[in-house]
C-alpha cells in the first residue's frame, strides 16, 4: 500500500497537514541538503588525528584485515621472544585506557586516547596473571584470524575459563590487545551481538550475498555483527534516517516511507550496539549522505545520539571507526512539543533523575559546542517535560510518516 | 568459506570427532526423522479444541483477516446499540482471563481458556471507565483494520492518553477485545516489536518482496512484527533449528551450517517474543518440519522451550496460533555435560533461585508428561550445575557446528 501525500493526519493535527507542499518541492529541499553534505564531506574528509597539530600526542586504532592482524601479533611475539632470550624477561607495553588518558577532540568531535602506556611484566606478582591472559588472548586472536571466523566475547571467555576465571578479565585484555596492536576490536574478529535492522534505498553485498534493502518486506534486514563482511554499498537515497526505536522503524517500514522520500532507515532498537554504529559510519562514509536523528525528547534520546556521534568513553581508542560525525538532530526536540502541539497528556513529567541527567548533559562537550542543541536541552530541563516519538500517534497512527517527517524535511527543521 | 566435515574440533573434544560418520549418513538419519514428522503431522493435524471431548467448554481465538475483524466489531456495536435502544443500556460480555479460567490441555499440549465471562456495564461506577476504554479500543482497531496498517501497543496507548491514563489499561482491554471478538491480537493489527532473526533454507514472500533466507549473509533476515504479511513459505530443509541465543545463531550462520545439513535456523535472542513464536508456528505448520531446540542447560533454557511449546499464561486465549507443538529438546541437556565432557570450569554453579526455579518446573505439566525431560531436569537440580551453549567453545570455536550438532543429529540424540 503506497502512502498518500499529506493525509488527514488521523483525528487531529491541526493546520500542519494543509501547510505541506508537494512531495516534489520537499524532495528538492532534501536534494540541496544532500548535495551540500556530500561536498562538505569531501572537504572535511581528510580530518584525522594526524592532520591536527594537537599539543598532546594521541593514539588511534585502525581497521586491519585478518592478515595484517596476524602479522602484528607475530611481530609482537617475536619482540617479546627476543626480550626473553636477552634475559630481560616477558613484558607487554599496554596503552592506558583510563579516563585520565582520554581526550575530547573538538575538531574531530570525538573522544580519543592519549599516549600514556604501562609495562605489564610477567615477573611481577601483581601482573603475572594479566600477562598470561594477554598471551593467551593473542594466541586465540591469531587463531581466529587464521581461520577467518568471528566469535563473541562470551565464546572467547569459554575457550579458557580456567585461566580467565571471569569474563570481565578476558574482555578487558581484549580491549588492551586492540590498543597494543593498533587495530579495532572488530579487526580481532571478536564481535558484539547484533541488534540493529535496516530498510530502504540501500544495496550491499554481505558475505557474497547481494542484499537489496528495498525488498526486505516490513521487518527489514538484520545488521550483521561482522562489518567486514559488508561490501559494495550502493544507494540512491538522499539521507539516512536514524531512528531510536523499533516502533517508529516499523511505522516507516510499513508505510514504505523510503519510497516517498528516498532514504535508508536504520535503528539499533534502543542503546546503540557496536555493529549498528559501525554500519552507520560505513554508510555515512561510503555514501556521503546526511544523517538525520529521530529520538525521544528526553535526556536518553540525546545520549543515544551522542554515542553514535562521539562514541562511548569505554571504547575511546576505537572512536574513529565507531563514530559518525555530524548527525543532525531532527526530532523529537523539546521545542517540537509546543510547535507540534503535542497534547499535555502525551507529555510525561521528568523524574528527578531525568532532570539530573539532563543537567549533566548540559556540561558535555557535544552539547556545548552547538548553541541550538544547548538551548533545546535547556528548554527540556526548564520545562521538566519529556515525550516519546510515539506521542505523535495522538494525531493519528500515521502522523509520523505522513505529516511530522515531511514537514520537518520541508522546513529543513534539523539542527 | 564452506565448513569442512568433522574438523579437528579445535583444541580438544576427545574421541567424538572421530566417531562422526559421513555427512551423507547423517543426512539419511535426519531425512528419516523429517519424513516421520511430516507423516505424524498429517495424522495429528486435525487436533483442535473442537475435536476433543473435553468436560469443560473452552474458548479459543482464531486468526482473522482485517475484513472479518471489522465485521465482528460492527456486529458487536450493532448488538450493544440495540441493547441501548431497548433501554437496557451499554454493556459488554468479556471472557475472563484469570488463571482460574485457564486449563492445560494435555492432548493439545497447551494452555487454553475456559468459558467463564463477566458483564462490563457502563452504568456502574466500578466499570464505567473500562467500558469507555473498551469502546474506544474497538473504534481504534476498526480504524486500523480499515486502513490495513499495523501499530504497537505503545502507539495505541498514545492515541488517547487522556482516557487510558496508563498503558496497562489499554493493553489489558486490548487482550479483552481479542477474546471478545474471538481473534488473535495480531488480527487486531496491534503487533509486538520484533526481535527474532532467521537464516537458512527458507524462501517466503513478505509484503510482496521475495525473501530468500539462504542469501541473507551472516546477519540473517529480521522476522517482521506482522505475521500476516508473510506468505508462500517454501523450503527444502529437513528440520528447523531453534536457537536460544544470538551467539550460537551467529556461529551457525557464519559457518553456513544450513548448507551442510539443510535446515532453517531461527532465534528470538533470549525470551521468545510474539512475532518469533508466530513465525515458528507458521513454519512448522506449513512446512511440516521437525523443530529441534538448542538452549542453555539451565531452568531458563527450559522455560524458553516451554513458552514456544505451551505458551505463556498471560496469552492463553491465543495459545493456538502462538504455540508450536512437539519441539524436541536437542541440547544442551544436563546429561550432555558429562557425555560431552564439558570441563568443570565451564559449568556454572546454580544459584538458590536457579535451583528453586528448576524444582518448580518439575511440577509443570510439560515436564511431567515426558519422563525423559523429567529425568534431565532432575539431574540438573540434583547436580546443581548449569552450562551455556557457549561452554562448547572450550573445545574450539567451531565445535558447536562441526562436532556437537552433527553428532547430535547422527545419534538422533533429542528427546
Amino acid at each position: 500500500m503506497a502512502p498518500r501525500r499529506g493525509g488527514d493526519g488521523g483525528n487531529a493535527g491541526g493546520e500542519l497537514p494543509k501547510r505541506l507542499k508537494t512531495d516534489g518541492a520537499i524532495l528538492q529541499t532534501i536534494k540541496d541538503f544532500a548535495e551540500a553534505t556530500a561536498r562538505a564531506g569531501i572537504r572535511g574528509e581528510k580530518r584525522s588525528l594526524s592532520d591536527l597539530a594537537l599539543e598532546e600526542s594521541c593514539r588511534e586504532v585502525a581497521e586491519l584485515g585478518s592478515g595484517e592482524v596476524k602479522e602484528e601479533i607475530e611481530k609482537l611475539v617475536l619482540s617479546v621472544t627476543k626480550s626473553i632470550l636477552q634475559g630481560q624477561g616477558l613484558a607487554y607495553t599496554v596503552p592506558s585506557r583510563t579516563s585520565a588518558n582520554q581526550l575530547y577532540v573538538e575538531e574531530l568531535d570525538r573522544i580519543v586516547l592519549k599516549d600514556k602506556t604501562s609495562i605489564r611484566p610477567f615477573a611481577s606478582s601483581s601482573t603475572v596473571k594479566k600477562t598470561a591472559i594477554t598471551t593467551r588472548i593473542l594466541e586465540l586472536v591469531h587463531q581466529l584470524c587464521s581461520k577467518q571466523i568471528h566469535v563473541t566475547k562470551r565464546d572467547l571467555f569459554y575457550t579458557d575459563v580456567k585461566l580467565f576465571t571471569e569474563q570481565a578479565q578476558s574482555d578487558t585484555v581484549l580491549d588492551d590487545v586492540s590498543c597494543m596492536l593498533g587495530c579495532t576490536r572488530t579487526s580481532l574478529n571478536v564481535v558484539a551481538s547484533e541488534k540493529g535492522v535496516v530498510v530502504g534505498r540501500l544495496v550491499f553485498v554481505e558475505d557474497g550475498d547481494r542484499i537489496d534493502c528495498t525488498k526486505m518486506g516490513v521487518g527489514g534486514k538484520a545488521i550483521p555483527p561482522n562489518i567486514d563482511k559488508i561490501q559494495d554499498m550502493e544507494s540512491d537515497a538522499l539521507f539516512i534516517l536514524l531512528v531510536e526505536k523499533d516502533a517508529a522503524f516499523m511505522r516507516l517500514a510499513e508505510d514504505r516511507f523510503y519510497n516517498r522520500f528516498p532514504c535508508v532507515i536504520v535503528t539499533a532498537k534502543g542503546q546503540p550496539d557496536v555493529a549498528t554504529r559501525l554500519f552507520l559510519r560505513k554508510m555515512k562514509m561510503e555514501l556521503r549522505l546526511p544523517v538525520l536523528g529521530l529520538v525521544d525528547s528526553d535526556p536518553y534520546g540525546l545520549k543515544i545520539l551522542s554515542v553514535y556521534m562521539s562514541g562511548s568513553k569505554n571504547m575511546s581508542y576505537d572512536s574513529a571507526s565507531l563514530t559518525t560525525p555530524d548527525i543532525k538532530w531532527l526530532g523529537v526536540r523539546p521545542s517540537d512539543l509546543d510547535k507540534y502541539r503535542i497534547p499535555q497528556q502525551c507529555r510525561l513529567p521528568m523524574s528527578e533523575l531525568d532532570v539530573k541527567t539532563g543537567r549533566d548533559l548540559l556540561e558535555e562537550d557535544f552539547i556545548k559546542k552547538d548553541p541550538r542543541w544547548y538551548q533545546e536541552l535547556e528548554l527540556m530541563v526548564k520545562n521538566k517535560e519529556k515525550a516519546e516519538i510515539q506521542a505523535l500517534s495522538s494525531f493519528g497512527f500515521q502522523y509520523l510518516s505522513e505529516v511530522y517527517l515531511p514537514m520537518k524535511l520541508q522546513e529543513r527543521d534539523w539542527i
Side-chain angles (χ1 to χ4, degrees), chain A:
Chain A
M1 206 184 57
R4 296 285 101 231
R5 198 185 69 75
D8 64 358
N11 314 321
E15 284 300 295
L16 274 185
K18 292 177 207 148
R19 277 175 40 212
L20 271 181
K21 296 183 189 162
T22 61
D23 281 7
I26 300 177
L27 274 174
Q28 192 53 54
T29 310
I30 327 172
K31 261 181 206 156
D32 296 344
F33 173 52
E35 277 164 23
T37 304
R39 277 197 306 274
I42 292 164
R43 274 202 312 275
E45 147 194 52
K46 275 191 190 133
R47 297 201 107 179
S48 75
L49 260 184
S50 52
D51 301 319
L52 299 171
L54 290 180
E55 283 176 30
E56 310 194 62
S57 124
C58 292
R59 167 182 300 270
E60 274 203 309
V61 297
E63 193 72 44
L64 297 186
S66 287
E68 293 167 297
V69 174
K70 271 174 69 179
E71 233 170 74
E72 288 298 322
I73 294 176
E74 285 155 13
K75 269 195 258 174
L76 182 63
V77 170
L78 275 180
S79 85
V80 295
T81 312
K82 213 166 132 188
S83 157
I84 295 171
L85 290 174
Q86 290 172 342
Q88 288 156 349
L90 166 63
Y92 296 106
T93 307
V94 184
S96 157
R97 294 186 293 108
T98 61
S99 59
N101 198 37
Q102 291 173 3
L103 182 74
Y104 172 78
V105 181
E106 203 184 335
E107 294 88 335
L108 300 175
D109 190 20
R110 53 188 162 84
I111 301 164
V112 299
L113 218 52
K114 294 190 272 183
D115 69 347
K116 230 179 83 191
T117 58
S118 64
I119 304 294
R120 184 175 291 171
F122 187 69
S124 153
S125 61
S126 66
T127 51
V128 55
K129 189 168 176 194
K130 240 180 174 168
T131 312
I133 293 177
T134 310
T135 313
R136 182 78 169 118
I137 296 276
L138 283 167
E139 186 207 340
L140 289 169
V141 168
H142 192 267
Q143 198 180 316
L144 289 177
C145 291
S146 305
K147 291 194 177 178
Q148 298 211 40
I149 58 170
H150 295 76
V151 300
T152 62
K153 286 176 168 184
R154 190 83 182 146
D155 287 315
L156 200 72
F157 162 68
Y158 268 116
T159 52
D160 203 339
V161 178
K162 205 169 180 175
L163 176 64
F164 303 144
T165 330
E166 49 189 30
Q167 199 188 328
Q169 299 253 28
S170 50
D171 285 0
T172 310
V173 171
L174 189 70
D175 282 331
D176 290 341
V177 165
S178 281
C179 290
M180 285 162 62
L181 301 178
C183 66
T184 63
R185 200 182 67 204
T186 323
S187 311
L188 304 181
N189 284 15
V190 180
V191 297
S193 68
E194 52 177 55
K195 246 185 7 152
V197 279
V198 59
V199 84
R201 307 280 271 249
L202 175 70
V203 174
F204 59 87
V205 174
E206 182 181 329
D207 200 25
D209 297 332
R210 184 174 182 278
I211 312 280
D212 181 347
C213 298
T214 61
K215 298 205 165 55
M216 285 295 138
V218 290
K221 171 72 181 80
I223 293 173
N226 21 5
I227 191 78
D228 52 334
K229 300 244 170 173
I230 290 185
Q231 283 161 328
D232 302 331
M233 280 186 168
E234 283 170 43
S235 175
D236 65 346
L238 294 174
F239 61 99
I240 296 163
L241 191 58
L242 177 65
V243 177
E244 176 178 345
K245 283 185 183 165
D246 218 14
F249 179 89
M250 203 189 85
R251 173 81 279 117
L252 297 169
E254 186 172 60
D255 290 352
R256 306 241 175 189
F257 183 75
Y258 52 83
N259 282 340
R260 188 170 159 204
F261 301 109
C263 63
V264 184
I265 306 170
V266 65
T267 182
K269 302 179 183 170
Q271 273 304 322
D273 55 310
V274 169
T276 310
R277 285 159 67 193
L278 287 167
F279 188 81
L280 179 68
R281 182 184 166 85
K282 197 177 170 82
M283 270 202 294
K284 163 94 184 165
M285 289 304 147
E286 299 204 351
L287 308 174
R288 299 187 185 289
L289 292 175
V291 181
L292 303 175
L294 178 66
V295 296
D296 286 347
S297 177
D298 62 26
Y300 311 101
L302 265 178
K303 271 204 164 175
I304 282 174
L305 282 188
S306 94
V307 171
Y308 281 115
M309 283 189 300
S310 318
S312 69
K313 291 193 174 157
N314 185 37
M315 291 190 70
S316 49
Y317 67 86
D318 192 4
S319 63
S321 78
L322 282 172
T323 57
T324 304
D326 195 30
I327 296 178
K328 303 293 184 196
W329 188 8
L330 185 74
V332 178
R333 298 203 306 270
S335 63
D336 285 349
L337 304 196
D338 282 344
K339 192 170 170 189
Y340 289 86
R341 295 187 198 141
I342 305 288
Q344 207 58 45
Q345 306 91 351
C346 297
R347 308 178 187 192
L348 306 166
M350 282 166 78
S351 71
E352 268 180 49
L353 180 66
D354 290 341
V355 175
K356 191 191 167 302
T357 309
R359 289 222 178 91
D360 290 347
L361 277 180
L362 281 172
E363 302 299 316
E364 294 273 344
D365 296 311
F366 83 97
I367 296 284
K368 281 198 286 191
K369 81 183 168 65
D370 189 328
R372 295 169 302 174
W373 284 51
Y374 192 87
Q375 275 170 21
E376 288 281 4
L377 182 56
E378 244 186 342
L379 182 68
M380 185 199 299
V381 175
K382 200 187 105 215
N383 291 347
K384 295 188 175 135
E385 275 181 347
K386 57 182 182 177
E388 298 180 44
I389 303 171
Q390 280 112 312
L392 296 166
S393 300
S394 55
F395 299 122
F397 294 119
Q398 291 171 300
Y399 188 80
L400 172 71
S401 53
E402 296 195 345
V403 181
Y404 180 80
L405 286 178
M407 187 56 87
K408 281 269 171 186
L409 296 174
Q410 172 176 317
E411 310 213 318
R412 302 177 60 109
D413 186 10
W414 51 75
I415 59 177

